[in-house]
Amino acid sequence: MILVEDWAEIRRLRRAEQMPLRAIARHLGISKNSAKRALANDRPRKYERSTKGSVVATVEVQISLVQAVITLHLASSG
């Protein structure tokens, strides 16, 4: 992912210096497509972590059932 500083530098090099995309990419050590995407956007992309859910979510129902069984067993034995 391109940093905000790199995004600004890409835009400056292209607009003020009239530098070609390949030269910008080479100068910053990024791909030509990354430089092209940075120029296409009017602001830098914001990093957003994808939501995967928790590990427990897949077995949460089973855990609740086991807890209920244990609670019932303890209530009936005591």
Side-chain angles (χ1 to χ4, degrees):
M1 179 162 216
I2 295 176
L3 300 174
V4 174
E5 293 83 9
D6 290 338
W7 176 83
E9 181 70 2
I10 291 167
R11 295 177 73 81
R12 186 192 70 77
L13 290 171
R14 182 64 172 187
R15 292 185 175 157
E17 307 291 328
Q18 299 295 312
M19 190 180 281
L21 276 176
R22 288 180 68 189
I24 294 170
R26 196 176 320 114
H27 177 72
L28 294 175
I30 60 174
S31 74
K32 197 170 55 172
N33 288 336
S34 294
K36 189 185 295 186
R37 272 195 311 270
L39 288 170
N41 294 328
D42 61 342
R43 63 181 62 143
R45 291 179 56 188
K46 183 179 176 186
Y47 175 74
E48 293 180 13
R49 183 176 290 202
S50 61
T51 57
K52 294 182 181 179
S54 72
V55 176
V56 177
T58 58
V59 292
E60 193 170 12
V61 173
Q62 289 88 347
I63 292 171
S64 297
L65 289 173
V66 169
Q67 287 176 333
V69 169
I70 290 171
T71 303
L72 287 173
H73 178 70
L74 290 175
S76 66
S77 65

Coordinates of all heavy atoms in Angstrom, one line a residue:
M1 N 0.8 -1.2 0.0 CA 0.0 0.0 0.0 C 0.9 1.2 0.0 O 1.9 1.3 0.7 CB -0.9 0.0 1.2 CG -1.8 1.2 1.3 SD -3.1 0.8 2.4 CE -4.4 1.7 1.7
I2 N 0.5 2.2 -0.7 CA 1.3 3.4 -0.9 C 1.0 4.4 0.3 O -0.2 4.6 0.7 CB 0.9 4.2 -2.2 CG1 1.3 3.3 -3.4 CG2 1.5 5.5 -2.3 CD1 0.9 3.9 -4.7
L3 N 2.1 4.9 0.9 CA 1.9 5.9 2.0 C 1.4 7.2 1.4 O 1.5 7.5 0.3 CB 3.3 6.1 2.7 CG 3.9 4.8 3.3 CD1 5.3 5.2 3.8 CD2 3.0 4.3 4.4
V4 N 0.9 8.0 2.3 CA 0.3 9.3 2.0 C 1.4 10.2 1.3 O 1.2 10.9 0.3 CB -0.3 10.0 3.2 CG1 -0.7 11.4 2.8 CG2 -1.5 9.2 3.7
E5 N 2.6 10.1 1.9 CA 3.8 10.9 1.4 C 4.1 10.4 0.0 O 4.4 11.3 -0.9 CB 5.0 10.7 2.3 CG 4.8 11.3 3.7 CD 4.1 10.4 4.7 OE1 3.9 9.2 4.3 OE2 3.7 10.8 5.7
D6 N 4.1 9.1 -0.3 CA 4.4 8.6 -1.6 C 3.3 9.1 -2.6 O 3.6 9.4 -3.7 CB 4.5 7.1 -1.6 CG 5.7 6.6 -0.9 OD1 6.7 7.4 -0.8 OD2 5.8 5.5 -0.5
W7 N 2.0 9.0 -2.2 CA 0.9 9.4 -3.0 C 1.1 10.9 -3.4 O 1.0 11.3 -4.6 CB -0.4 9.3 -2.3 CG -1.6 9.7 -3.0 CD1 -2.3 9.1 -4.0 CD2 -2.2 11.0 -2.8 NE1 -3.3 9.8 -4.4 CE2 -3.3 11.1 -3.7 CE3 -2.0 12.1 -2.0 CZ2 -4.2 12.1 -3.8 CZ3 -2.8 13.2 -2.1 CH2 -3.9 13.2 -3.0
A8 N 1.5 11.8 -2.5 CA 1.7 13.2 -2.7 C 2.9 13.4 -3.7 O 2.8 14.2 -4.6 CB 1.9 13.9 -1.4
E9 N 3.9 12.6 -3.4 CA 5.1 12.7 -4.3 C 4.8 12.3 -5.7 O 5.3 12.9 -6.7 CB 6.3 11.9 -3.7 CG 7.5 11.9 -4.4 CD 8.3 13.3 -4.4 OE1 7.8 14.2 -3.7 OE2 9.3 13.4 -5.0
I10 N 4.0 11.2 -5.9 CA 3.7 10.7 -7.2 C 2.9 11.9 -8.0 O 3.3 12.2 -9.1 CB 2.8 9.5 -7.1 CG1 3.6 8.3 -6.6 CG2 2.2 9.2 -8.5 CD1 2.8 7.1 -6.2
R11 N 2.0 12.5 -7.3 CA 1.2 13.5 -7.9 C 2.1 14.7 -8.2 O 2.0 15.4 -9.3 CB 0.0 13.9 -7.0 CG -1.0 12.7 -6.9 CD -2.1 13.0 -6.0 NE -3.1 13.9 -6.6 CZ -4.0 13.6 -7.4 NH1 -4.2 12.4 -7.8 NH2 -4.9 14.5 -7.8
R12 N 3.0 15.1 -7.3 CA 3.9 16.2 -7.6 C 4.8 16.0 -8.7 O 5.0 16.8 -9.6 CB 4.7 16.5 -6.3 CG 5.6 17.8 -6.4 CD 6.6 17.9 -5.3 NE 7.6 16.9 -5.4 CZ 8.7 17.0 -6.2 NH1 8.8 18.0 -7.1 NH2 9.6 16.1 -6.3
L13 N 5.4 14.8 -8.8 CA 6.3 14.4 -9.8 C 5.6 14.5 -11.2 O 6.2 14.9 -12.2 CB 7.0 13.1 -9.6 CG 8.0 13.0 -8.5 CD1 8.4 11.5 -8.2 CD2 9.2 13.8 -8.7
R14 N 4.4 14.0 -11.2 CA 3.7 13.9 -12.5 C 3.3 15.3 -12.9 O 3.4 15.7 -14.1 CB 2.5 13.0 -12.4 CG 1.7 12.8 -13.6 CD 2.5 12.1 -14.6 NE 1.6 11.8 -15.8 CZ 1.9 11.1 -16.8 NH1 3.2 10.6 -16.8 NH2 1.1 10.8 -17.7
R15 N 2.7 16.1 -12.0 CA 2.1 17.4 -12.4 C 3.2 18.5 -12.5 O 3.2 19.2 -13.5 CB 1.0 17.8 -11.4 CG -0.1 16.9 -11.5 CD -1.3 17.3 -10.6 NE -2.4 16.4 -10.9 CZ -3.4 16.2 -10.0 NH1 -3.4 16.9 -8.9 NH2 -4.4 15.4 -10.4
A16 N 4.0 18.6 -11.5 CA 5.0 19.7 -11.5 C 6.2 19.4 -12.3 O 6.7 20.3 -13.1 CB 5.4 20.0 -10.1
E17 N 6.7 18.2 -12.3 CA 7.9 17.8 -13.0 C 7.7 17.2 -14.3 O 8.6 16.9 -15.1 CB 8.8 16.8 -12.1 CG 9.0 17.3 -10.7 CD 10.0 18.5 -10.6 OE1 10.9 18.5 -11.5 OE2 9.9 19.3 -9.7
Q18 N 6.4 16.9 -14.6 CA 6.1 16.2 -15.9 C 6.8 14.9 -16.1 O 7.2 14.6 -17.2 CB 6.3 17.2 -17.1 CG 5.5 18.4 -17.0 CD 4.0 18.2 -17.1 OE1 3.5 17.5 -18.0 NE2 3.2 18.8 -16.2
M19 N 7.0 14.2 -15.0 CA 7.8 12.9 -15.1 C 6.9 11.8 -15.6 O 5.7 11.7 -15.2 CB 8.4 12.6 -13.7 CG 9.4 11.5 -13.7 SD 10.0 11.1 -12.0 CE 11.2 12.4 -11.8
P20 N 7.4 10.9 -16.5 CA 6.6 9.8 -17.0 C 6.3 8.8 -15.8 O 7.1 8.7 -14.9 CB 7.5 9.2 -18.0 CG 8.6 10.1 -18.3 CD 8.7 11.0 -17.1
L21 N 5.3 8.0 -16.0 CA 4.9 7.0 -15.0 C 6.0 6.0 -14.7 O 6.2 5.7 -13.6 CB 3.6 6.2 -15.5 CG 2.3 6.9 -15.2 CD1 1.2 6.1 -15.8 CD2 2.1 7.1 -13.7
R22 N 6.6 5.5 -15.7 CA 7.7 4.6 -15.5 C 8.8 5.1 -14.7 O 9.4 4.5 -13.8 CB 8.3 4.1 -16.9 CG 7.3 3.1 -17.6 CD 7.8 2.7 -18.9 NE 9.0 1.8 -18.6 CZ 9.8 1.3 -19.6 NH1 9.6 1.7 -20.8 NH2 10.8 0.5 -19.3
A23 N 9.2 6.4 -15.0 CA 10.2 7.0 -14.2 C 9.8 7.3 -12.7 O 10.6 7.1 -11.8 CB 10.6 8.4 -14.8
I24 N 8.6 7.6 -12.5 CA 8.1 7.8 -11.2 C 8.1 6.5 -10.4 O 8.6 6.4 -9.3 CB 6.6 8.3 -11.2 CG1 6.6 9.8 -11.7 CG2 6.0 8.3 -9.8 CD1 5.2 10.3 -12.0
A25 N 7.6 5.4 -11.1 CA 7.6 4.1 -10.5 C 9.1 3.6 -10.1 O 9.3 3.1 -9.0 CB 7.0 3.1 -11.4
R26 N 10.0 3.9 -11.0 CA 11.4 3.5 -10.8 C 12.0 4.3 -9.7 O 12.7 3.8 -8.8 CB 12.2 3.7 -12.1 CG 13.5 3.0 -12.1 CD 14.3 3.1 -13.4 NE 13.4 3.0 -14.6 CZ 13.2 4.0 -15.5 NH1 13.8 5.2 -15.3 NH2 12.5 3.9 -16.5
H27 N 11.7 5.6 -9.6 CA 12.2 6.5 -8.6 C 11.7 6.1 -7.2 O 12.5 6.2 -6.3 CB 11.8 7.9 -9.0 CG 12.2 9.0 -8.0 ND1 13.5 9.4 -7.8 CD2 11.5 9.7 -7.1 CE1 13.6 10.3 -6.9 NE2 12.3 10.5 -6.4
L28 N 10.5 5.7 -7.1 CA 9.9 5.4 -5.8 C 10.0 3.9 -5.4 O 9.6 3.5 -4.3 CB 8.4 5.9 -5.7 CG 8.2 7.4 -5.8 CD1 6.8 7.7 -5.8 CD2 8.9 8.1 -4.6
G29 N 10.4 3.1 -6.4 CA 10.5 1.7 -6.2 C 9.1 1.0 -6.1 O 8.9 0.1 -5.3
I30 N 8.1 1.5 -6.8 CA 6.8 0.9 -6.8 C 6.5 0.4 -8.3 O 7.2 0.7 -9.2 CB 5.7 1.9 -6.3 CG1 5.7 3.1 -7.2 CG2 6.0 2.2 -4.9 CD1 4.6 4.1 -6.9
S31 N 5.4 -0.3 -8.4 CA 5.0 -0.7 -9.8 C 4.3 0.4 -10.5 O 3.8 1.4 -10.0 CB 4.0 -1.9 -9.7 OG 2.7 -1.4 -9.3
K32 N 4.4 0.3 -11.9 CA 3.8 1.3 -12.7 C 2.3 1.4 -12.5 O 1.7 2.5 -12.5 CB 4.1 0.9 -14.2 CG 3.9 2.0 -15.2 CD 4.4 1.6 -16.5 CE 3.8 0.3 -17.0 NZ 4.1 0.0 -18.4
N33 N 1.6 0.2 -12.2 CA 0.2 0.2 -11.9 C -0.1 0.9 -10.6 O -1.2 1.6 -10.5 CB -0.3 -1.2 -11.9 CG -0.4 -1.8 -13.3 OD1 -0.4 -1.1 -14.3 ND2 -0.3 -3.1 -13.4
S34 N 0.7 0.8 -9.6 CA 0.5 1.5 -8.4 C 0.6 3.0 -8.6 O -0.2 3.8 -8.0 CB 1.5 1.1 -7.3 OG 1.4 -0.3 -7.0
A35 N 1.5 3.5 -9.4 CA 1.6 4.9 -9.7 C 0.4 5.4 -10.4 O -0.1 6.4 -10.2 CB 2.9 5.2 -10.5
K36 N 0.0 4.6 -11.4 CA -1.2 4.9 -12.2 C -2.5 5.0 -11.3 O -3.3 6.0 -11.4 CB -1.4 3.9 -13.3 CG -2.5 4.3 -14.3 CD -2.8 3.2 -15.3 CE -1.6 2.9 -16.1 NZ -1.9 1.9 -17.2
R37 N -2.6 4.1 -10.4 CA -3.8 4.1 -9.4 C -3.7 5.3 -8.5 O -4.7 5.9 -8.2 CB -3.8 2.8 -8.6 CG -4.6 1.7 -9.2 CD -4.9 0.6 -8.2 NE -3.8 0.2 -7.4 CZ -3.0 -0.8 -7.7 NH1 -3.2 -1.5 -8.9 NH2 -2.0 -1.1 -7.0
A38 N -2.5 5.7 -8.1 CA -2.4 6.8 -7.2 C -2.8 8.1 -7.9 O -3.4 9.0 -7.4 CB -0.9 7.0 -6.7
L39 N -2.4 8.2 -9.2 CA -2.8 9.4 -10.0 C -4.3 9.4 -10.3 O -4.9 10.5 -10.4 CB -2.0 9.4 -11.3 CG -0.6 9.8 -11.2 CD1 0.2 9.5 -12.5 CD2 -0.4 11.2 -10.7
A40 N -4.9 8.3 -10.4 CA -6.4 8.2 -10.7 C -7.2 8.6 -9.5 O -8.4 9.1 -9.7 CB -6.7 6.8 -11.1
N41 N -6.7 8.5 -8.3 CA -7.5 8.8 -7.1 C -7.3 10.3 -6.7 O -6.1 10.8 -6.8 CB -7.1 7.9 -5.9 CG -7.5 6.5 -6.2 OD1 -8.5 6.2 -6.9 ND2 -6.7 5.5 -5.7
D42 N -8.3 10.9 -6.2 CA -8.2 12.3 -5.8 C -7.7 12.4 -4.4 O -7.3 13.5 -3.9 CB -9.5 13.1 -6.0 CG -10.6 12.5 -5.1 OD1 -10.5 11.3 -4.7 OD2 -11.6 13.2 -4.9
R43 N -7.6 11.3 -3.7 CA -7.0 11.3 -2.3 C -6.4 9.9 -2.1 O -6.8 9.0 -2.7 CB -8.1 11.6 -1.3 CG -9.2 10.6 -1.2 CD -10.2 11.0 -0.1 NE -10.8 12.3 -0.6 CZ -12.0 12.7 -0.4 NH1 -12.8 11.9 0.2 NH2 -12.4 13.9 -0.8
P44 N -5.5 9.8 -1.1 CA -4.9 8.5 -0.9 C -5.9 7.5 -0.3 O -6.8 7.9 0.3 CB -3.8 8.8 0.1 CG -4.1 10.1 0.7 CD -4.9 10.9 -0.3
R45 N -5.7 6.2 -0.7 CA -6.6 5.2 -0.2 C -6.4 5.1 1.3 O -5.3 5.1 1.9 CB -6.3 3.9 -0.9 CG -6.7 3.9 -2.3 CD -6.4 2.6 -3.0 NE -7.0 1.5 -2.3 CZ -6.8 0.2 -2.6 NH1 -5.9 -0.1 -3.5 NH2 -7.4 -0.7 -1.9
K46 N -7.5 4.8 2.0 CA -7.4 4.6 3.5 C -7.4 3.1 3.7 O -8.1 2.3 3.1 CB -8.6 5.2 4.1 CG -8.6 5.1 5.6 CD -9.9 5.7 6.2 CE -9.9 5.5 7.7 NZ -11.1 6.0 8.3
Y47 N -6.5 2.7 4.6 CA -6.3 1.3 4.9 C -7.5 0.9 5.8 O -7.8 1.5 6.8 CB -5.0 1.0 5.7 CG -4.9 -0.4 6.2 CD1 -4.7 -1.4 5.3 CD2 -5.1 -0.7 7.5 CE1 -4.6 -2.7 5.7 CE2 -5.1 -2.0 7.9 CZ -4.8 -3.0 7.0 OH -4.7 -4.3 7.5
E48 N -8.2 -0.2 5.4 CA -9.3 -0.8 6.2 C -9.1 -2.2 6.3 O -9.0 -2.9 5.2 CB -10.6 -0.4 5.5 CG -11.0 1.0 5.6 CD -12.3 1.3 4.9 OE1 -13.1 0.4 4.7 OE2 -12.6 2.5 4.7
R49 N -9.0 -2.7 7.5 CA -8.8 -4.2 7.7 C -10.2 -4.9 7.4 O -11.2 -4.4 7.8 CB -8.4 -4.4 9.1 CG -8.1 -5.9 9.4 CD -7.6 -6.1 10.8 NE -6.3 -5.5 10.8 CZ -5.4 -5.8 11.7 NH1 -5.7 -6.7 12.7 NH2 -4.2 -5.3 11.7
S50 N -10.1 -6.0 6.7 CA -11.3 -6.7 6.4 C -11.8 -7.4 7.7 O -11.0 -7.9 8.5 CB -11.1 -7.7 5.3 OG -10.1 -8.7 5.7
T51 N -13.1 -7.5 7.8 CA -13.7 -8.2 9.0 C -13.8 -9.7 8.7 O -14.4 -10.1 7.7 CB -15.1 -7.6 9.3 OG1 -15.9 -7.8 8.2 CG2 -15.0 -6.2 9.7
K52 N -13.1 -10.4 9.5 CA -13.1 -11.9 9.4 C -14.0 -12.5 10.4 O -14.3 -13.7 10.3 CB -11.7 -12.4 9.6 CG -10.7 -11.9 8.5 CD -9.4 -12.5 8.7 CE -8.4 -12.1 7.6 NZ -7.0 -12.6 7.8
G53 N -14.3 -11.8 11.4 CA -15.1 -12.4 12.5 C -14.1 -13.1 13.5 O -12.9 -13.2 13.2
S54 N -14.6 -13.5 14.6 CA -13.7 -14.1 15.6 C -13.6 -15.6 15.4 O -14.5 -16.2 14.8 CB -14.2 -13.8 17.0 OG -15.4 -14.5 17.3
V55 N -12.6 -16.2 16.0 CA -12.4 -17.6 15.9 C -13.5 -18.3 16.7 O -14.0 -19.4 16.3 CB -11.0 -18.0 16.5 CG1 -10.9 -19.5 16.5 CG2 -9.9 -17.4 15.7
V56 N -14.0 -17.7 17.8 CA -15.0 -18.3 18.7 C -16.4 -18.3 18.0 O -17.2 -19.1 18.3 CB -15.0 -17.5 20.0 CG1 -16.1 -18.0 20.9 CG2 -13.7 -17.6 20.7
A57 N -16.6 -17.3 17.1 CA -17.9 -17.2 16.5 C -18.4 -18.5 15.8 O -19.6 -18.8 15.8 CB -17.9 -16.0 15.5
T58 N -17.5 -19.3 15.3 CA -17.9 -20.5 14.6 C -18.4 -21.6 15.5 O -19.2 -22.4 15.2 CB -16.7 -21.1 13.8 OG1 -15.6 -21.3 14.7 CG2 -16.2 -20.1 12.7
V59 N -18.0 -21.5 16.8 CA -18.4 -22.5 17.8 C -19.2 -21.9 19.0 O -19.4 -22.6 20.0 CB -17.2 -23.3 18.3 CG1 -16.6 -24.2 17.2 CG2 -16.2 -22.4 18.9
E60 N -19.6 -20.7 18.8 CA -20.3 -20.0 19.9 C -21.6 -20.7 20.3 O -21.9 -20.8 21.5 CB -20.5 -18.5 19.5 CG -20.9 -17.7 20.6 CD -21.0 -16.2 20.2 OE1 -20.9 -15.9 19.0 OE2 -21.0 -15.4 21.1
V61 N -22.3 -21.2 19.4 CA -23.6 -21.8 19.7 C -23.3 -23.1 20.5 O -24.0 -23.4 21.5 CB -24.4 -22.1 18.4 CG1 -25.6 -23.0 18.7 CG2 -24.7 -20.9 17.7
Q62 N -22.3 -23.9 20.1 CA -22.0 -25.1 20.8 C -21.5 -24.8 22.2 O -21.9 -25.5 23.1 CB -20.9 -25.9 20.0 CG -21.4 -26.5 18.7 CD -21.2 -25.6 17.5 OE1 -21.0 -24.4 17.7 NE2 -21.4 -26.1 16.3
I63 N -20.8 -23.8 22.4 CA -20.3 -23.4 23.7 C -21.5 -23.0 24.6 O -21.6 -23.5 25.8 CB -19.3 -22.2 23.6 CG1 -18.0 -22.7 23.0 CG2 -19.0 -21.6 25.0 CD1 -17.0 -21.5 22.7
S64 N -22.4 -22.3 24.1 CA -23.6 -21.9 24.8 C -24.4 -23.2 25.2 O -24.9 -23.2 26.4 CB -24.5 -21.0 24.0 OG -23.8 -19.8 23.8
L65 N -24.6 -24.1 24.3 CA -25.3 -25.3 24.6 C -24.6 -26.1 25.7 O -25.2 -26.6 26.7 CB -25.4 -26.2 23.4 CG -26.4 -25.7 22.3 CD1 -26.3 -26.5 21.1 CD2 -27.8 -25.7 22.9
V66 N -23.3 -26.2 25.7 CA -22.5 -27.0 26.7 C -22.7 -26.3 28.0 O -22.9 -26.9 29.1 CB -21.0 -27.1 26.3 CG1 -20.2 -27.6 27.5 CG2 -20.9 -28.0 25.1
Q67 N -22.6 -24.9 28.1 CA -22.8 -24.2 29.3 C -24.2 -24.4 29.9 O -24.4 -24.6 31.1 CB -22.6 -22.7 29.1 CG -21.1 -22.3 28.9 CD -21.0 -20.9 28.5 OE1 -21.9 -20.2 28.0 NE2 -19.8 -20.3 28.9
A68 N -25.2 -24.5 29.0 CA -26.6 -24.7 29.5 C -26.7 -26.1 30.1 O -27.4 -26.3 31.1 CB -27.6 -24.5 28.3
V69 N -26.1 -27.1 29.4 CA -26.2 -28.5 29.9 C -25.5 -28.6 31.3 O -26.0 -29.2 32.2 CB -25.6 -29.4 28.9 CG1 -25.4 -30.8 29.5 CG2 -26.4 -29.5 27.7
I70 N -24.3 -27.9 31.4 CA -23.6 -28.0 32.7 C -24.4 -27.3 33.8 O -24.5 -27.8 34.9 CB -22.2 -27.3 32.5 CG1 -21.3 -28.2 31.7 CG2 -21.6 -27.0 33.9 CD1 -20.0 -27.6 31.3
T71 N -25.0 -26.1 33.5 CA -25.8 -25.4 34.4 C -27.0 -26.2 34.9 O -27.3 -26.3 36.1 CB -26.3 -24.1 33.8 OG1 -25.2 -23.3 33.4 CG2 -27.1 -23.3 34.8
L72 N -27.7 -26.9 33.9 CA -28.8 -27.8 34.3 C -28.4 -28.9 35.2 O -29.0 -29.3 36.1 CB -29.5 -28.3 33.0 CG -30.4 -27.2 32.3 CD1 -30.9 -27.8 31.0 CD2 -31.5 -26.8 33.1
H73 N -27.2 -29.5 34.8 CA -26.7 -30.7 35.6 C -26.4 -30.3 37.0 O -26.7 -31.0 38.0 CB -25.5 -31.3 34.8 CG -24.9 -32.4 35.6 ND1 -25.5 -33.6 35.7 CD2 -23.7 -32.5 36.2 CE1 -24.7 -34.4 36.3 NE2 -23.6 -33.8 36.7
L74 N -25.7 -29.1 37.1 CA -25.4 -28.6 38.5 C -26.6 -28.3 39.3 O -26.6 -28.5 40.5 CB -24.4 -27.4 38.4 CG -23.0 -27.7 37.8 CD1 -22.2 -26.4 37.7 CD2 -22.3 -28.7 38.8
A75 N -27.6 -27.7 38.7 CA -28.8 -27.3 39.4 C -29.6 -28.6 39.8 O -30.2 -28.6 40.9 CB -29.7 -26.5 38.5
S76 N -29.6 -29.6 39.0 CA -30.4 -30.8 39.4 C -29.6 -31.7 40.4 O -30.2 -32.4 41.2 CB -30.7 -31.7 38.2 OG -29.5 -32.2 37.6
S77 N -28.3 -31.6 40.5 CA -27.5 -32.4 41.4 C -27.3 -31.7 42.8 O -27.0 -32.4 43.7 CB -26.2 -32.8 40.8 OG -25.4 -31.6 40.7
G78 N -27.6 -30.5 42.8 CA -27.3 -29.8 44.1 C -28.5 -29.2 44.7 O -29.0 -29.1 45.6

